Amino acid sequence: MPSQSIVILVTVMVYMAVMVLIGLRFSKKNNSVGDFYLGGRKLGPLVTAMSAEASDMSSWLLMGLPGVALAGAIGARVGYIEAVWTALGLAVGTYLNFLFVAKRLRRYSEKLGANTIPDYFSERFGETSGLLTLIVALIIIIFFVPYTASGFSGVGKLFNSLFGIDYHVAMIIGAIIICLYTTLGGFLAASTTDFIQSIIMTVALFTIVGFCVSDSGSLSASLEAAKSVDGYFNWTGADGGYGALPIASTLAWGLGYFGMPHILLRFMAIKDDNKLKISRRIASVWVVISMAVAIFIGVIGVAFVRSHGLVESLGADFDAERIIIYIADEFSRKNILLAVIAGLIVSGIMASIMSTADSQMLAASSSMSENIIKRFFWKKMSNKSSMILARITVVIITVVAIFFAWNPKSSVFRIVSFAWAGFGATFGPVMLLSLFWKRCNKYGATAGLIAGGIMVFLWKFVIAKLGGVFAIYELLPAFIINLIVCVAVSLLTPKPEDKIIRTFEEIKNM
């Protein structure tokens, strides 16, 4: 292995060791399952904001988004503009989620004593049979396992590209490390590491821009290559076919925020809900800047790819999603100092992966242990047994996700896209109605969840294949169907009990 690769590898390993140490430190603060899954509702506004966004962005920020922007210059029909519209939808969604959902969900979940999303829905609607809890828990597991797997896949791609390590070996080692600190430290460890990782991700993004511009000689030279691609900067795609409907469906990414369990849990965990305004401002600014820089890397990456002949030299092995890896690897060859900086950049990619995977593993684990196993099979479990079960389920989720990540050709962007649609279309409408419409009842919520979940799969794998107006992002139609079904069924069935209405009014008037 070349000396610069050894330096990068050592830097990354040191970073990963620090994450494990953080998990070990917080392991002593988990005295109950509530601490393990929600940190005892003790998060500050800065950690709430940055851990929410770091867990949100995942490897999609440093791999998926630049890759989509770059792909528009090497054969994709849209590429750059798809990345722009997606980022715009996410930026708006981030702001609105903090503005409308965060504070009310924090107050509602504490009032109801809910530590998980399934707990919240079950208590909010007074559903005692366990059916709603089971449906919500299964949805979280179904969509979070492939979502987590996309992160593990990112680790495999990363180490395979830089060090020539077998994809599967690298992917498994990365999964074990993420599992280790998450199992040890729980939610507090995940949130703290996410905060640190958001800083590293930010440094990595700006450093890569500097490297890319330096490689081309100037900013104008970096942009020139992208400008030379016919139709690359067209707001309707290279061929002009990216019209109003595709744009609307791409902007619909923002709707997904209302149903993201790992983000909603951050709202539930903040210590002082009056500080959420600070969190909103921090999160909104960071997400706009980080996504803009990520897209910009894809744009100026066109010049880098051309000047180094990467498409020609790598052939079928070229992967636009690895553009940051290619850039970091090239500059690490110059001297030891740049190799260390390249190591920090690679650590940034690892940070983006780990910050999402840990949160997803916890959310899926809580659904399995708290809302399925304890709810239906082992109700009188002791606190010690509950903690053991919580940690075991994190390990189980990790193992299952490893199998989903086994294919090295899987696209990070596409996997995340489908999982995002799944959560947004199932939980999003029901979450909004549960917080702002007192007439919404357990029958409507259950029907809406099922309708939204079915429609995501139906639209993705059947209807969208018809093409034309049907070839839109499955999140949008599934979200609308869920909303309609939830409202209609709620109105056609008995209104919620007086106790539920009184709690709703109490939270509304706080």
Side-chain angles (χ1 to χ4, degrees):
M1 185 181 292
S3 59
Q4 77 273 5
S5 295
I6 295 175
V7 173
I8 295 175
L9 183 59
V10 170
T11 304
V12 175
M13 294 311 294
V14 169
Y15 160 75
M16 296 177 78
V18 171
M19 297 300 105
V20 174
L21 289 175
I22 291 174
L24 186 62
R25 176 177 178 270
F26 280 105
S27 65
K28 300 176 182 178
K29 296 188 176 184
N30 290 309
N31 299 315
S32 68
V33 172
D35 291 337
F36 188 78
Y37 284 131
L38 209 58
R41 303 183 195 271
K42 298 174 182 176
L43 292 191
L46 182 59
V47 175
T48 296
M50 298 307 288
S51 66
E53 294 315 304
S55 65
D56 160 31
M57 288 292 110
S58 72
S59 55
W60 180 86
L61 178 65
L62 274 76
M63 296 181 74
L65 196 57
V68 171
L70 174 61
I74 54 175
R77 186 178 70 86
V78 283
Y80 163 77
I81 202 58
E82 180 181 7
V84 171
W85 285 118
T86 300
L88 182 59
L90 290 174
V92 174
T94 296
Y95 182 82
L96 295 180
N97 201 28
F98 268 92
L99 181 64
F100 293 115
V101 175
K103 182 177 289 188
R104 188 165 291 196
L105 177 60
R106 168 64 176 81
R107 292 174 174 176
Y108 226 141
S109 62
E110 183 177 36
K111 174 70 176 179
L112 299 173
N115 291 323
T116 67
I117 299 302
D119 282 345
Y120 165 73
F121 280 130
S122 178
E123 295 297 326
R124 160 63 179 86
F125 294 112
E127 211 282 325
T128 57
S129 71
L131 177 62
L132 183 58
T133 300
L134 180 63
I135 292 172
V136 175
L138 288 176
I139 289 172
I140 288 176
I141 294 171
I142 288 170
F143 288 110
F144 257 154
V145 169
Y147 206 153
T148 304
S150 72
F152 293 170
S153 175
V155 174
K157 287 183 178 184
L158 181 64
F159 281 84
N160 177 258
S161 296
L162 282 175
F163 312 116
I165 299 174
D166 180 77
Y167 167 84
H168 298 103
V169 172
M171 184 263 293
I172 291 173
I173 292 175
I176 290 173
I177 291 173
I178 298 170
C179 177
L180 184 58
Y181 78 77
T182 304
T183 303
L184 287 170
F187 186 83
L188 283 175
S191 297
T192 303
T193 54
D194 289 354
F195 170 64
I196 296 171
Q197 288 160 350
S198 68
I199 296 172
I200 297 174
M201 290 158 63
T202 304
V203 172
L205 284 168
F206 282 98
T207 304
I208 281 293
V209 171
F211 275 176
C212 230
V213 172
S214 173
D215 184 72
S216 299
S218 67
L219 179 59
S220 59
S222 297
L223 292 171
E224 201 57 44
K227 290 179 181 178
S228 68
V229 178
D230 188 38
Y232 181 71
F233 287 109
N234 285 352
W235 282 84
T236 54
D239 60 0
Y242 204 71
L245 192 58
I247 289 173
S249 72
T250 307
L251 286 172
W253 272 78
L255 294 173
Y257 276 108
F258 303 123
M260 290 299 126
H262 54 304
I263 297 173
L264 298 174
L265 285 172
R266 262 63 182 185
F267 299 160
M268 293 165 63
I270 192 169
K271 184 176 182 179
D272 183 357
D273 57 55
N274 290 314
K275 297 292 181 62
L276 279 166
K277 181 182 291 186
I278 299 173
S279 298
R280 181 177 75 240
R281 291 169 178 170
I282 294 171
S284 300
V285 170
W286 186 83
V287 78
V288 169
I289 293 175
S290 62
M291 288 194 296
V293 175
I295 294 173
F296 189 62
I297 288 172
V299 173
I300 61 179
V302 176
F304 182 88
V305 168
R306 285 186 179 179
S307 64
H308 293 275
L310 293 181
V311 175
E312 294 76 15
S313 61
L314 295 176
D317 291 329
F318 176 80
D319 185 351
E321 289 188 344
R322 305 187 191 194
I323 181 59
I324 288 181
I325 300 173
Y326 298 143
I327 296 170
D329 183 45
E330 176 63 28
F331 274 83
S332 70
R333 303 172 191 270
K334 298 183 183 297
N335 57 59
I336 294 298
L337 177 59
L338 288 177
V340 172
I341 295 174
L344 292 175
I345 292 171
V346 174
S347 296
I349 300 175
M350 281 297 300
S352 68
I353 295 169
M354 295 167 71
S355 61
T356 300
D358 54 23
S359 300
Q360 294 165 344
M361 289 159 65
L362 280 173
S365 169
S366 66
S367 295
M368 181 183 291
S369 64
E370 292 294 295
N371 304 122
I372 295 180
I373 296 177
K374 285 181 65 176
R375 175 69 173 78
F376 295 100
F377 303 105
W378 200 351
K379 292 184 178 181
K380 296 183 179 180
M381 186 180 295
S382 67
N383 183 62
K384 182 178 180 181
S385 297
S386 296
M387 289 296 295
I388 293 173
L389 177 62
R391 290 186 163 107
I392 290 175
T393 51
V394 171
V395 175
I396 293 172
I397 294 297
T398 302
V399 173
V400 176
I402 286 173
F403 282 100
F404 272 83
W406 203 252
N407 179 13
K409 296 295 184 181
S410 58
S411 166
V412 171
F413 186 88
R414 301 306 167 191
I415 294 175
V416 171
S417 171
F418 182 66
W420 189 269
F423 284 123
T426 52
F427 295 155
V430 179
M431 176 58 71
L432 290 172
L433 291 173
S434 74
L435 294 173
F436 296 100
W437 188 40
K438 63 183 178 183
R439 185 62 175 80
C440 186
N441 62 21
K442 59 186 177 182
Y443 308 107
T446 303
L449 288 167
I450 295 173
I454 291 174
M455 184 54 65
V456 166
F457 283 92
L458 186 63
W459 200 281
K460 172 73 173 180
F461 299 107
V462 180
I463 299 176
K465 294 185 182 299
L466 298 175
V469 296
F470 299 106
I472 59 175
Y473 188 25
E474 59 271 15
L475 171 54
L476 182 58
F479 189 98
I480 294 172
I481 290 297
N482 183 337
L483 195 63
I484 293 172
V485 169
C486 188
V487 170
V489 173
S490 292
L491 291 175
L492 293 172
T493 51
K495 69 177 184 177
E497 298 172 4
D498 291 340
K499 179 183 178 181
I500 296 174
I501 296 295
R502 285 197 300 271
T503 302
F504 180 91
E505 293 291 350
E506 181 181 341
I507 298 299
K508 178 183 176 182
N509 295 325
M510 287 180 68

